[in-house]
Amino acid sequence: MNVNMFQAGDNVAATDHSDIDKLPIEELPLPPDFAWGTATAAYQVEGAVTQDGRGPSIWDTFTHLEPSRTNNENGDIACDHYNRVAEDVDLMASLGMDVYRLSIAWSRIIPLGGRNDPVNEAGIAFYNRLIDSLLAKSIEPVVTLYHWDAPQVIYDRYGAFLITAEFKADFERYARVCFSRFGDRVKKWITFNEPYIISVFGHHTGVLAPGRNSSNGGDSRTEPWRVGHTLIVSHASAVEIYASEFQPAQNGTISIVLNSHFYEPWDPENPVHVDAAQRRQEFYVSWFGDPIFLARDYPSCMREFLGDRLPTFTDDEVALLRRTAHLNTFYGMNHYSTKFARALPDPPSPDDCTGNIEEGPTNCRGEEAGPVSGMAWLRVAPYGFRKLLNWVWKRYQLPIIITENGCPCPGESEMRKEEALDDGFRVRYFGLYLDSISRAIYEDGVKVTGYYAWSLMDNFEWSAGYGPRYGIVHVDRTTLERTPKKSAWYLKRSFDERRVKGKSRA
């Protein structure tokens, strides 16, 4: 364990978790050039899964398995964003957004997915329409190349991420197509969204596509680490391609999005649990962050706990990481909540992926991390958000963009529309988390440059189907009518006010 790394409580005032629901929203300042917007993912909103030549993805397959693993729901129609682009861009403009973070569906661009497979011009035309519509409304498109929806054909051919050389070659071709066809207008690229989730939830627990684990032909002991390795190397290769072949003319930026909870020690007085919180953070963030941003090997705690389960970087891969580490120009952070990390007393299971740590919502004194949202795991914990911003900034020294943050309200999925539109819980969550960003910037010296709320609208939430509603815009599941919630208007007003305060402070 690197004892010099930022610990859980350093430089950040302690907060009584039980009092979070009593904290006032202070509308603290943000820099005048701070960018705000919303985020979505292609499979969650587009629908039109067979329209205009789109090929199947692993999520199309996963959502149609029997018995269902997605609450008997799928993204076949989703929010029908594919056919409602003009309406949705007008909606974003009416809410005053600076940015829209979207993802491209790989199988809409290259239906069969491979390096030698044909490009679908209808798919290119769709994203051109979307990008051009955004720019016409002065909304910046921030584009994610991969948000979990690998073409099914490359999965059938070689298991996608399981064969590094094959996936890397196919992803390089896909990235080149996107850079060449959209890069004259897209100035901020993200390679992969949440590689931790792709690796662990897709290939260890199997609760997300492609749904592999040791019970159904996979190997939960080794596959998550092989998948993670593939994603790191493929990211670095795409960054090098962009920097050498496209960036000189297009003048954009590129990086990756990592997700994480913040981990507090289950018992802050016990060094064993303090160490466990740091280790869990490294297993979650530094697994990817250290090789990508620092050109280092995997964290030493991972080597210690995983042994030969963890792949080794080849000499060529090490050289690639060293050439590209400094080319990542921002850190994309997806963050929702804080948990407590408890070191387990017994030896880890053979397929343990946590560093032998139990995580949960309460500490040794029975105190909760914060008030519960519409998801049991997602607690309102702005103090943890501030600590994570500090932890990431100290370790990687890159400007941070909050690429996802948000919550569903308690009971929202059962509410009538009129009730759901009055989403005061979500307003409170946003307000407290934005105050934490302000404190991190002005009191701690962390560089945070933007905030993209999850999500623009209620959509298909992966294995949970259409149950959780994270949107700041309500979507009627029958008519697909869009109606902004109170939180949408709150964000518009709040960012206007906070940036005015920031301007007077500059």
Side-chain angles (χ1 to χ4, degrees), residues 221-222 225-226 229 283 297-313 348-353 355:
R221 183 177 178 274
T222 61
W225 318 110
R226 167 51 54 193
H229 195 88
F283 261 70
D297 190 20
Y298 297 112
S300 59
C301 64
M302 295 184 71
R303 286 280 175 211
E304 176 186 348
F305 272 82
L306 298 173
D308 63 3
R309 294 166 60 192
L310 197 61
T312 298
F313 290 106
S349 64
D351 67 347
D352 172 66
C353 66

Side-chain angles (χ1 to χ4, degrees), residues 452-467:
Y452 312 158
W454 186 269
S455 173
L456 170 63
M457 55 185 142
D458 299 333
N459 57 47
F460 179 78
E461 282 295 338
W462 308 112
S463 59
Y466 293 100

Side-chain angles (χ1 to χ4, degrees), residues 379-400:
R379 306 301 179 107
V380 183
Y383 63 93
F385 185 35
R386 181 180 175 186
K387 290 179 180 181
L388 181 62
L389 289 168
N390 274 270
W391 194 94
V392 166
W393 172 252
K394 185 159 186 176
R395 191 161 185 131
Y396 300 119
Q397 291 289 300
L398 279 173
I400 298 169

Side-chain angles (χ1 to χ4, degrees), residues 324-362:
T324 56
H326 71 285
L327 300 175
N328 297 278
T329 50
F330 61 92
Y331 181 106
M333 177 187 289
N334 288 1
H335 172 76
Y336 292 88
S337 194
T338 289
K339 293 187 175 185
F340 294 104
R342 172 178 172 260
L344 293 173
D346 299 321
S349 64
D351 67 347
D352 172 66
C353 66
T354 67
N356 204 30
I357 291 165
E358 178 184 69
E359 57 184 69
T362 57

Side-chain angles (χ1 to χ4, degrees), residues 145 171-172 175 179 191-192 233-243 254 320:
L145 292 173
F171 187 72
E172 287 171 347
F179 296 151
T191 53
F192 295 101
V233 173
S234 299
H235 162 82
S237 184
V239 167
E240 186 165 59
I241 287 168
Y242 182 72
I254 190 167
L320 174 64

